Amino acid sequence: MKTLLTGGAGYIGSHTAVALLEAGHDVAIIDNFANSSPEAVKRVELITGRQVSLYEADCADKDRMMEILGKEQPDCIIHFAGLKAVGESVELPVEYYRNNIDSTLTLLECMKASGISRFVFSSSATVYGEDNTPPFTEDMPKGVCTNPYGWTKWMQEQILTDAQLAGCREKGGWKAPLSVVLLRYFNPVGAHESGLIGEDPQGIPNNLMPYISQVAVGRRDHLTVFGDDYDTPDGTCRRDYIHVMDLAEGHVKAAEYALGHEGAEVFNLGTGSPYSVLGMVEAFSRACGHQIPYEIGPRRAGDVQDSWADAGKAKRILGWEAKRGIDEICRDAWNWQSHNPKGYE
Ligand code: NAD
Ligand code: UFG
């Protein structure tokens, strides 16, 4: 199978490229490097010993997309490209809506014109909103998002679902019925076992694991834990942290599934097991061999107390489940961070 990965130089895309290549599939990547480096793609080639076609392009550039899709003629597109910083999306909502929604609309138009009909999309558990109670199941109603980034995911899911419905109808204009797979990620963390690729956030990390990693390697002084007065056993929020290579392997299964099915299907990609913030601090301290210094701060606006997946549907239908546990997650995150203290720089 030939796959085209938009945003494939980024954190999840680069790991997915490795998993696809190792499963024997071909990979082409489109990225504008807004939040990534071409070095990540070189390292994907180093890990796998295989070549990747790399295009520097913006997914919202219709002429370039038509040209690349025409040249590559992929069997499936996995659409990772997007801006993802929750706080920044509150500051720059127009830029977030423009980039994230435009990319998806442009891709759909170009796919339709090029006769490509398999689409796997990077969605987020954030679409469950604040009112559903975990474990989240795919048939729960989508909730109210707390920030523009979340709404872009919510809206893109809707756009893709509507396009799929139209694509099934005779007059939809699609040459083949559209197949859409919406993957709702929980909290992707960790790195490839080689330590050659990993998460490389620009500036001060927003997310817990890259922040802890940078404290561990001495780039930052201490972690601030956002609130210890939640209604949880240790007072800190709980999340479903999933190893990025498990997530990557979930994409291989999803792309293979998209090839053989029609319709729009949603899958959670999570482990089903929550860990608290302090639980993660302890696990990382074990992995790096010293205690991570932290202090308790106020709650962060927009945080939900609890979020974890019911991971049953992906297991039943895709035959996929997460295999790596919290110790492997922390070991691999530390391996990446300690060997690349400044990321790809
Ligand atoms: P990332 O920033 O590392 O990767 C996204 C990539 O898309 C980057 O390489 C960036 O340069 C590229 N990009 C952005 N806009 C583009 C455009 N218009 N044209 C071409 N390239 C563009 O992020 P990631 O963590 O790998 O996330 C991948 C996807 O998964 C995103 O859509 C993100 O919203 C989603 N997601 C991520 C998480 C997470 O915690 N990492 C959780 C849920 C969903
Ligand atoms: N946290 C801290 N200190 C930090 C950073 C985070 O205590 O410096 C806490 C947060 O308050 C939260 C937990 O660690 O309780 C996890 O926070 P992250 O920012 O790592 O992850 P989130 O669950 O907030 O966000 C993730 C993705 C988003 C996605 C969201 C919902 O990063 O893209 O899940 O699916 F929208």
Side-chain angles (χ1 to χ4, degrees):
M1 171 174 55
K2 185 180 242 187
T3 52
L4 179 70
L5 277 48
T6 74
Y11 173 45
I12 302 170
S14 56
H15 289 79
T16 301
V18 168
L20 285 162
L21 291 162
E22 285 180 343
H25 301 301
D26 295 322
V27 171
I29 286 177
I30 296 173
D31 206 299
N32 66 1
F33 304 118
N35 193 39
S36 56
S37 157
E39 176 63 22
V41 180
K42 286 195 193 136
R43 296 198 187 179
V44 166
E45 293 182 326
L46 187 65
I47 292 168
T48 59
R50 296 200 45 207
Q51 275 205 316
V52 171
S53 312
L54 176 61
Y55 299 90
E56 180 169 0
D58 194 304
C59 294
D61 180 341
K62 197 169 179 181
D63 292 342
R64 279 284 278 153
M65 286 309 107
M66 284 302 294
E67 183 194 322
I68 297 167
L69 263 51
K71 186 164 172 224
E72 291 292 334
Q73 283 294 319
D75 300 300
C76 178
I77 293 182
I78 309 184
H79 182 35
F80 297 101
L83 299 175
K84 64 160 186 175
V86 170
E88 188 180 63
S89 78
V90 177
E91 308 291 324
L92 300 171
V94 178
E95 288 79 355
Y96 267 67
Y97 285 112
R98 170 68 75 192
N99 187 71
N100 291 2
I101 308 276
D102 245 15
S103 301
T104 294
L105 292 174
T106 306
L107 279 171
L108 281 170
E109 287 169 355
C110 296
M111 286 170 65
K112 189 172 179 176
S114 312
I116 298 159
S117 61
R118 314 287 169 197
F119 197 102
V120 176
F121 176 63
S122 296
S123 190
S124 165
T126 197
V127 302
Y128 287 111
E130 294 182 294
D131 295 327
N132 287 304
T133 304
F136 298 136
T137 53
E138 291 86 345
D139 56 3
M140 285 175 168
K142 284 192 286 176
V144 173
C145 296
T146 54
N147 56 75
Y149 163 74
W151 282 117
T152 70
K153 293 296 176 195
W154 199 106
M155 290 174 190
Q156 287 172 96
E157 282 202 3
Q158 191 64 41
I159 290 166
L160 288 163
T161 306
D162 290 342
Q164 195 284 324
L165 268 175
C168 286
R169 296 195 188 108
E170 218 173 303
K171 289 187 180 162
W174 291 81
K175 291 176 187 135
L178 185 58
S179 173
V180 167
V181 179
L182 306 174
L183 298 178
R184 293 181 181 160
Y185 310 157
F186 281 72
N187 287 59
V189 285
H192 187 262
E193 290 79 356
S194 64
L196 285 169
I197 55 173
E199 190 168 10
D200 181 22
Q202 313 295 306
I204 302 171
N206 300 301
N207 300 116
L208 180 65
M209 276 297 272
Y211 205 104
I212 295 181
S213 305
Q214 292 194 7
V215 172
V217 82
R219 272 177 75 178
R220 317 222 166 251
D221 200 50
H222 68 277
L223 172 76
T224 300
V225 174
F226 297 142
D228 70 346
D229 56 351
Y230 288 96
D231 184 17
T232 62
D234 66 15
T236 65
C237 293
R238 293 179 291 189
R239 295 287 183 275
D240 186 336
Y241 296 95
I242 175 169
H243 195 297
V244 67
M245 284 310 297
D246 277 328
L247 192 76
E249 288 158 16
H251 286 75
V252 178
K253 296 287 189 189
E256 290 168 352
Y257 173 85
L259 229 62
H261 292 81
E262 291 168 21
E265 280 292 342
V266 185
F267 294 101
N268 288 336
L269 293 184
T271 67
S273 301
Y275 281 85
S276 70
V277 177
L278 289 179
M280 293 304 286
V281 169
E282 288 319 309
F284 205 99
S285 300
R286 283 198 301 278
C288 73
H290 59 271
Q291 182 62 41
I292 303 293
Y294 69 87
E295 62 183 38
I296 306 295
R299 290 183 177 198
R300 180 171 70 176
D303 272 345
V304 294
Q305 173 177 295
D306 286 323
S307 169
W308 66 89
D310 179 317
K313 184 177 175 189
K315 185 174 180 185
R316 278 193 309 278
I317 298 181
L318 300 179
W320 169 89
E321 65 182 323
K323 296 190 291 249
R324 299 160 180 89
I326 209 68
D327 291 329
E328 285 139 307
I329 284 173
C330 294
R331 177 199 67 196
D332 295 337
W334 176 236
N335 188 32
W336 154 252
Q337 188 71 67
S338 54
H339 287 97
N340 306 267
K342 294 191 173 168
Y344 291 114
E345 194 178 292

